[in-house]
mmCIF file of all heavy atoms in Angstrom:
data_model
loop_
_atom_site.group_PDB
_atom_site.id
_atom_site.type_symbol
_atom_site.label_atom_id
_atom_site.label_comp_id
_atom_site.label_asym_id
_atom_site.label_seq_id
_atom_site.Cartn_x
_atom_site.Cartn_y
_atom_site.Cartn_z
ATOM 1 N N GLY A 242 -14.092 52.378 -78.546
ATOM 2 C CA GLY A 242 -14.803 51.231 -79.100
ATOM 3 C C GLY A 242 -15.734 50.617 -78.082
ATOM 4 O O GLY A 242 -15.757 50.995 -76.905
ATOM 5 N N VAL A 243 -16.500 49.649 -78.522
ATOM 6 C CA VAL A 243 -17.528 49.046 -77.682
ATOM 7 C C VAL A 243 -17.122 47.633 -77.290
ATOM 8 O O VAL A 243 -16.734 46.829 -78.126
ATOM 9 C CB VAL A 243 -18.880 49.013 -78.435
ATOM 10 C CG1 VAL A 243 -19.960 48.360 -77.584
ATOM 11 C CG2 VAL A 243 -19.299 50.425 -78.811
ATOM 12 N N GLY A 244 -17.213 47.330 -75.991
ATOM 13 C CA GLY A 244 -16.946 45.987 -75.514
ATOM 14 C C GLY A 244 -18.098 45.056 -75.860
ATOM 15 O O GLY A 244 -19.136 45.471 -76.375
ATOM 16 N N ASP A 245 -17.924 43.772 -75.537
ATOM 17 C CA ASP A 245 -18.932 42.770 -75.898
ATOM 18 C C ASP A 245 -20.293 43.055 -75.264
ATOM 19 O O ASP A 245 -21.332 42.859 -75.888
ATOM 20 C CB ASP A 245 -18.464 41.378 -75.464
ATOM 21 C CG ASP A 245 -17.252 40.907 -76.232
ATOM 22 O OD1 ASP A 245 -17.006 41.441 -77.336
ATOM 23 O OD2 ASP A 245 -16.541 40.018 -75.738
ATOM 24 N N ARG A 246 -20.285 43.511 -74.022
ATOM 25 C CA ARG A 246 -21.549 43.701 -73.301
ATOM 26 C C ARG A 246 -22.446 44.713 -74.021
ATOM 27 O O ARG A 246 -23.613 44.427 -74.309
ATOM 28 C CB ARG A 246 -21.254 44.164 -71.875
ATOM 29 C CG ARG A 246 -22.496 44.350 -71.029
ATOM 30 C CD ARG A 246 -22.127 44.771 -69.623
ATOM 31 N NE ARG A 246 -23.287 44.861 -68.770
ATOM 32 C CZ ARG A 246 -23.234 45.157 -67.472
ATOM 33 N NH1 ARG A 246 -22.069 45.373 -66.893
ATOM 34 N NH2 ARG A 246 -24.335 45.218 -66.750
ATOM 35 N N ALA A 247 -21.900 45.904 -74.313
ATOM 36 C CA ALA A 247 -22.693 46.944 -74.974
ATOM 37 C C ALA A 247 -23.001 46.566 -76.420
ATOM 38 O O ALA A 247 -24.105 46.832 -76.917
ATOM 39 C CB ALA A 247 -21.953 48.274 -74.920
ATOM 40 N N TYR A 248 -22.036 45.929 -77.095
ATOM 41 C CA TYR A 248 -22.251 45.550 -78.493
ATOM 42 C C TYR A 248 -23.399 44.548 -78.612
ATOM 43 O O TYR A 248 -24.296 44.698 -79.456
ATOM 44 C CB TYR A 248 -20.979 44.967 -79.086
ATOM 45 C CG TYR A 248 -21.133 44.541 -80.525
ATOM 46 C CD1 TYR A 248 -21.187 45.486 -81.548
ATOM 47 C CD2 TYR A 248 -21.248 43.196 -80.862
ATOM 48 C CE1 TYR A 248 -21.346 45.101 -82.874
ATOM 49 C CE2 TYR A 248 -21.409 42.796 -82.182
ATOM 50 C CZ TYR A 248 -21.456 43.749 -83.185
ATOM 51 O OH TYR A 248 -21.625 43.363 -84.490
ATOM 52 N N LEU A 249 -23.389 43.541 -77.766
ATOM 53 C CA LEU A 249 -24.433 42.516 -77.819
ATOM 54 C C LEU A 249 -25.787 43.076 -77.372
ATOM 55 O O LEU A 249 -26.838 42.658 -77.873
ATOM 56 C CB LEU A 249 -24.032 41.315 -76.975
ATOM 57 C CG LEU A 249 -22.855 40.518 -77.542
ATOM 58 C CD1 LEU A 249 -22.319 39.533 -76.514
ATOM 59 C CD2 LEU A 249 -23.254 39.797 -78.822
ATOM 60 N N LYS A 250 -25.761 44.017 -76.454
ATOM 61 C CA LYS A 250 -27.010 44.671 -76.049
ATOM 62 C C LYS A 250 -27.624 45.417 -77.235
ATOM 63 O O LYS A 250 -28.844 45.371 -77.451
ATOM 64 C CB LYS A 250 -26.743 45.639 -74.900
ATOM 65 C CG LYS A 250 -27.997 46.339 -74.404
ATOM 66 C CD LYS A 250 -27.673 47.330 -73.292
ATOM 67 C CE LYS A 250 -28.937 48.067 -72.836
ATOM 68 N NZ LYS A 250 -28.622 49.081 -71.792
ATOM 69 N N SER A 251 -26.770 46.078 -78.029
ATOM 70 C CA SER A 251 -27.275 46.809 -79.198
ATOM 71 C C SER A 251 -27.850 45.852 -80.238
ATOM 72 O O SER A 251 -28.866 46.153 -80.880
ATOM 73 C CB SER A 251 -26.173 47.669 -79.812
ATOM 74 O OG SER A 251 -25.172 46.873 -80.429
ATOM 75 N N LEU A 252 -27.212 44.688 -80.415
ATOM 76 C CA LEU A 252 -27.750 43.686 -81.354
ATOM 77 C C LEU A 252 -29.106 43.168 -80.881
ATOM 78 O O LEU A 252 -30.030 43.002 -81.677
ATOM 79 C CB LEU A 252 -26.777 42.518 -81.494
ATOM 80 C CG LEU A 252 -25.428 42.749 -82.168
ATOM 81 C CD1 LEU A 252 -24.753 41.412 -82.451
ATOM 82 C CD2 LEU A 252 -25.569 43.549 -83.454
ATOM 83 N N LYS A 253 -29.192 42.907 -79.591
ATOM 84 C CA LYS A 253 -30.444 42.390 -79.035
ATOM 85 C C LYS A 253 -31.576 43.403 -79.210
ATOM 86 O O LYS A 253 -32.697 43.032 -79.606
ATOM 87 C CB LYS A 253 -30.243 42.063 -77.548
ATOM 88 C CG LYS A 253 -31.458 41.452 -76.879
ATOM 89 C CD LYS A 253 -31.141 41.081 -75.431
ATOM 90 C CE LYS A 253 -32.372 40.502 -74.752
ATOM 91 N NZ LYS A 253 -32.080 40.135 -73.328
ATOM 92 N N GLU A 254 -31.294 44.670 -78.916
ATOM 93 C CA GLU A 254 -32.322 45.709 -79.057
ATOM 94 C C GLU A 254 -32.753 45.857 -80.510
ATOM 95 O O GLU A 254 -33.944 46.041 -80.799
ATOM 96 C CB GLU A 254 -31.783 47.033 -78.513
ATOM 97 C CG GLU A 254 -31.625 47.041 -76.992
ATOM 98 C CD GLU A 254 -30.935 48.292 -76.488
ATOM 99 O OE1 GLU A 254 -30.375 49.048 -77.331
ATOM 100 O OE2 GLU A 254 -30.938 48.514 -75.263
#
Side-chain angles (χ1 to χ4, degrees):
V243 179
D245 293 339
R246 182 178 184 177
Y248 179 75
L249 291 168
K250 181 182 178 183
S251 69
L252 292 191
K253 183 176 179 180
E254 290 173 348

